[in-house]
Amino acid sequence: MSGKFQTIDEYIDTFSGETQRRLQDIRSLIKKLVPEVKEKISYQMPTFELNGKNLIHFAAFKHHIGIYPTPSGVEAFQEELAPYKKNKGSIQLPLDMPIPMDLIKKIIIFRVKEEKGKQ
């Protein structure tokens, strides 16, 4: 992964095989759950914006995919996130494990409700 990305497609295209498929699966889930979401690149990562606010970011690394749902999106799911390495606002999903799509779905729904509640 190198250079400056203008679109999420450009970002995802820099990966191959399973990593690319996983990124596309996460992207598709976000767009399905939040059809009004806007895509952009922020911090050189795929970012999904709702009502002018960043909803969630993701990025691929050598051994994991990082999901960045803000600190509140991590805090709200501490128990379910126990098997994963996490930080204040990030979750590491190892590439040698299945992506927990149901959990990502819950986090996205939580973040949408949170952002819509701020309006």
Side-chain angles (χ1 to χ4, degrees):
M1 181 172 67
S2 63
K4 299 265 183 198
F5 305 105
Q6 300 299 314
T7 67
I8 291 177
D9 286 324
E10 286 178 10
Y11 179 90
I12 291 175
D13 285 347
T14 64
F15 298 92
S16 61
E18 183 64 14
T19 300
Q20 190 176 80
R21 186 189 65 76
R22 288 172 182 233
L23 292 171
Q24 287 288 14
D25 288 349
I26 294 168
R27 179 190 197 185
S28 294
L29 177 65
I30 294 166
K31 290 171 71 173
K32 179 182 173 188
L33 292 171
V34 196
E36 69 271 29
V37 77
K38 292 186 178 154
E39 294 187 339
K40 66 179 185 178
I41 296 291
S42 183
Y43 305 104
Q44 284 301 291
M45 292 187 286
T47 301
F48 300 85
E49 182 182 281
L50 182 64
N51 301 325
K53 301 287 184 182
N54 292 339
L55 185 69
I56 191 167
H57 310 267
F58 66 71
F61 299 91
K62 187 174 182 177
H63 299 290
H64 72 276
I65 291 177
I67 303 288
Y68 306 90
T70 73
S72 62
V74 175
E75 289 171 21
F77 296 92
Q78 283 295 319
E79 190 173 312
E80 291 174 86
L81 290 169
Y84 305 100
K85 185 174 179 183
K86 55 196 170 307
N87 228 324
K88 183 178 179 182
S90 66
I91 306 156
Q92 291 185 12
L93 306 172
L95 291 173
D96 63 355
M97 294 174 63
I99 296 291
M101 297 302 277
D102 287 341
L103 178 54
I104 293 171
K105 180 179 179 178
K106 289 178 188 178
I107 292 169
I108 293 165
I109 291 168
F110 171 84
R111 288 287 299 124
V112 168
K113 288 179 181 174
E114 185 175 52
E115 285 305 320
K116 286 186 175 181
K118 293 178 181 177
Q119 293 181 14

